[in-house]
Amino acid sequence: MDHPVATIIGFLETVHPYDTLPRDELARVATSFSRRDYGAGEEVYHAGEPLRGLYLIKRGSVEVQEPSGQVISLLGPRNSFGERGLARDGLAVTTARVTEDSVLLLLPVPEFRWLIATYPAFERFFSRGRGHDTRGGDLTTQKVGDLMARKPVIIGPQDSVRLAAQKMRDARVSSLGVVEDGQFLGIVTTRDMTHRVLADGLDPSTRVAEVMTPDPISLRPESLGSDILHIMLEHRIGHLPVVEGTALVGMITQTDLTRFQAVSSAQLVRDAATADSVAEMAAVTARIPRLLLQLMGGHNAHEVVTRLITDIADTVTRRLLAMAEAQLGPAPVPYLWLACGSQGRQEQTGVSDQDNCLMIDDSATDADMAYFQALARIVSDGLDACGYVYCPGDMMATNPQWCQRVGVWRSYFRRWVQTPDPMAQMLSSVMFDLRPIGGQASLFKDLQHETLELASRNSIFVAHMISNSLKHTPPLGLLRGFATVRSGEHKNHIDMKLNGVVPVVDLGRIYALIGQLEPVNTRARLEAAEGAGVISLSGARDLIEAYDLIAQTRLENQARLVRSGRKPDNFLAPSDMSDFERSHLRDAFVVVRTMQSAVGQSRGARS
């Protein structure tokens, strides 16, 4: 029996990446789905069989197994499966079986492949090639060092079991490493407290050494997740110390494994899209640092990691827009919410503020504008509560200057291009990074084409933009060293944002302006500039490789901070790198500086 189309549309609006489709396209795709009902234990398909299409779970749960019979995932509502076979020869590479009465929606093969070929969001989401987060989501191939959630909490062997219990309570952990003079001796768990202390009526002053498990089974950081699973299952234990030499460097628990398997970009997007409150969404975004750690542990490319993280911010924004409309009533006229900055470029990392604006149909009255100011406040406050803090420069839709009718925005863009003073240059940089997030995308499309053409024809404006882009320089010091922050909290660190990725972001924006290129993402801009002949083939290849190294190093450093229990930031200490890493990073900065020099010379030629 087919599902009513209206019901499918309502469901797809809560499922990523279908929630990115234009409304009319979503309605068309919804008609392609058919309903399939399965009873508990029934097989959906078997490995090696031809697939009928992509399956989407509306209700129930599905167990996916490798041909060997090993269960690799347990899927719930809004999860898709079968895409791996469709991306190859159309044959199932796994076996899928429902574990309870379930309702599945089936998207035919031709429609699935058309969506992949037409919409980048679908290609990214369902790709199984380089960089999709399912690779990082394979627990068995992850290194143990990338699975550790925090620094281990330790206690001395001569300390009392009362102190041990207090430490476990205060740190909210179920085990402690027993360490003396830096040497790992054993482990004490909540189970030990129950079975060896309370059950035997021991005094709270009893020494930890008397109840701990000495010389427990342990792993090294370079061990694999499969080692954890095998040891835990074979020995029926729930805690595994991670040891390097004689030092305890981490603790892996069954909770860590559960947390790891529950964190994926798709899961976070789903949870954000279905959240009923800002608090629920904030709980979702609080898992982003863990997702970053997981994705980097899976050796995913930086541009994929940042896009997957940005997808979460996009979903949170759209959910907040829906909540605002539910509170205020339907919008009186069409509008468009746009992101700029790192979200606009789909380059968000583990630490991001918010940069956004509102474009409103020219038919809006003054009373209508009051509605949009209220909507902007609800969304911006919600983003802040979810960790996307208010923009220090007030580049937000809550600022009346950035909550305007399309006609006002058109006059802004024209004035900035025609009068390229320092403020106009800064605002123009923001303008070229705008990306529609929610609302009527057509309000911006014509304006984007018009502004790119107008700006690229104005040689004085282009020269000013080039000059402005050269203000951010790579951190190159004398004698093959680095120019680091000179004072303050981050003294002797490299600012991997301001002096690392921003110089390349600025170059990408200039190339897009010169070539009238539409991509907003930096790496996509560099590739488009290469294809359009804006920069030479060799120059493009060198710059892309340099950017990849710089951006990847930035993310690896953020993951390292998360692993050590700290908040991710953009500051890297050269002393934390090997000579080999420092040399290659410096070479990458040299490439960026060389390309800046080339752009600067072209500016002179234009003058």
Side-chain angles (χ1 to χ4, degrees), residues 441-568:
S442 60
L443 292 176
F444 178 62
K445 188 172 183 180
D446 292 341
L447 188 56
Q448 182 186 35
H449 290 308
E450 175 186 323
T451 305
L452 264 176
E453 183 179 358
L454 179 68
S456 63
R457 291 202 312 260
N458 188 325
S459 59
I460 296 177
F461 175 78
V462 174
H464 277 279
M465 285 291 291
I466 291 175
S467 177
N468 190 56
S469 73
L470 300 179
K471 292 178 180 177
H472 299 118
T473 58
L476 294 170
L478 299 175
L479 302 176
R480 294 194 59 79
F482 295 102
T484 57
V485 178
R486 295 182 178 180
S487 60
E489 178 186 358
H490 302 295
K491 183 179 180 180
N492 297 327
H493 285 65
I494 300 170
D495 188 334
M496 292 296 292
K497 178 183 178 181
L498 191 62
N499 301 114
V501 298
V502 167
V504 189
V505 169
D506 289 343
L507 284 172
R509 191 182 297 114
I510 293 300
Y511 298 145
L513 173 59
I514 293 172
Q516 297 185 39
L517 308 173
E518 292 189 8
V520 176
N521 174 265
T522 297
R523 200 176 194 279
R525 278 173 166 169
L526 299 180
E527 292 176 337
E530 175 189 354
V534 175
I535 48 178
S536 68
L537 179 63
S538 61
R541 289 295 94 194
D542 286 348
L543 184 56
I544 289 172
E545 289 184 14
Y547 177 56
D548 285 345
L549 179 62
I550 294 167
Q552 201 79 17
T553 301
R554 177 194 184 196
L555 288 178
E556 287 170 354
N557 183 57
Q558 289 191 3
R560 189 160 49 243
L561 292 172
V562 173
R563 193 177 299 116
S564 66
R566 290 178 285 174
K567 290 184 178 180

Side-chain angles (χ1 to χ4, degrees), residues 214-491:
D215 299 321
I217 300 171
S218 63
L219 290 172
R220 293 179 58 80
E222 60 269 23
S223 301
L224 297 179
S226 58
D227 298 323
I228 302 173
L229 292 173
H230 296 162
I231 291 173
M232 285 187 171
L233 290 171
E234 181 180 352
H235 296 277
R236 298 184 180 182
I237 56 178
H239 302 81
L240 266 175
V242 182
V243 177
E244 200 160 18
T246 61
L248 178 68
V249 295
M251 189 77 71
I252 295 288
T253 70
Q254 288 179 341
T255 302
D256 293 323
L257 302 189
T258 302
R259 186 187 299 114
F260 178 92
Q261 291 176 311
V263 176
S264 70
S265 64
Q267 181 74 39
L268 266 61
V269 163
R270 187 195 77 172
D271 291 349
T274 58
D276 292 325
S277 66
V278 172
E280 286 186 22
M281 276 188 285
V284 173
T285 55
R287 291 147 61 191
I288 289 177
R290 182 68 197 181
L291 173 65
L292 170 66
L293 183 60
Q294 183 167 314
L295 292 174
M296 294 308 296
H299 308 291
N300 292 288
H302 71 89
E303 72 272 19
V304 174
V305 174
T306 54
R307 286 189 185 191
L308 292 172
I309 290 176
T310 304
D311 281 347
I312 299 166
D314 291 353
T315 304
V316 168
T317 304
R318 284 190 287 268
R319 186 72 187 109
L320 287 168
L321 287 168
M323 287 180 174
E325 288 194 34
Q327 179 178 336
L328 301 173
V333 298
Y335 73 91
L336 178 62
W337 183 282
L338 302 100
C340 45
S342 61
Q343 184 183 1
R345 297 189 304 274
Q346 295 179 296
E347 294 168 4
Q348 287 191 311
T349 66
V351 51
S352 299
D353 59 4
Q354 59 174 289
D355 300 277
N356 45 63
C357 64
L358 263 174
M359 291 185 179
I360 302 159
D361 191 85
D362 284 329
S363 63
T365 65
D366 288 344
D368 294 337
M369 295 302 289
Y371 170 95
F372 291 110
Q373 289 166 6
L375 179 139
R377 175 53 60 191
I378 292 172
V379 176
S380 187
D381 287 349
L383 287 171
D384 181 72
C386 290
Y388 305 104
V389 298
Y390 298 120
C391 173
D394 204 21
M395 183 66 207
M396 297 182 295
T398 49
N399 183 338
Q401 187 176 4
W402 312 130
C403 178
Q404 290 291 344
R405 300 174 181 87
V406 172
V408 175
W409 279 102
R410 178 172 278 107
S411 67
Y412 283 168
F413 293 166
R414 286 186 173 275
R415 185 169 72 249
W416 295 341
V417 171
Q418 293 167 357
T419 313
D421 58 28
M423 179 59 70
Q425 294 169 31
M426 186 275 289
L427 296 174
S428 297
S429 297
V430 171
M431 169 187 71
F432 287 118
D433 289 353
L434 288 173
R435 182 173 61 89
I437 302 298
Q440 192 71 41
S442 60
L443 292 176
F444 178 62
K445 188 172 183 180
D446 292 341
L447 188 56
Q448 182 186 35
H449 290 308
E450 175 186 323
T451 305
L452 264 176
E453 183 179 358
L454 179 68
S456 63
R457 291 202 312 260
N458 188 325
S459 59
I460 296 177
F461 175 78
V462 174
H464 277 279
M465 285 291 291
I466 291 175
S467 177
N468 190 56
S469 73
L470 300 179
K471 292 178 180 177
H472 299 118
T473 58
L476 294 170
L478 299 175
L479 302 176
R480 294 194 59 79
F482 295 102
T484 57
V485 178
R486 295 182 178 180
S487 60
E489 178 186 358
H490 302 295
K491 183 179 180 180

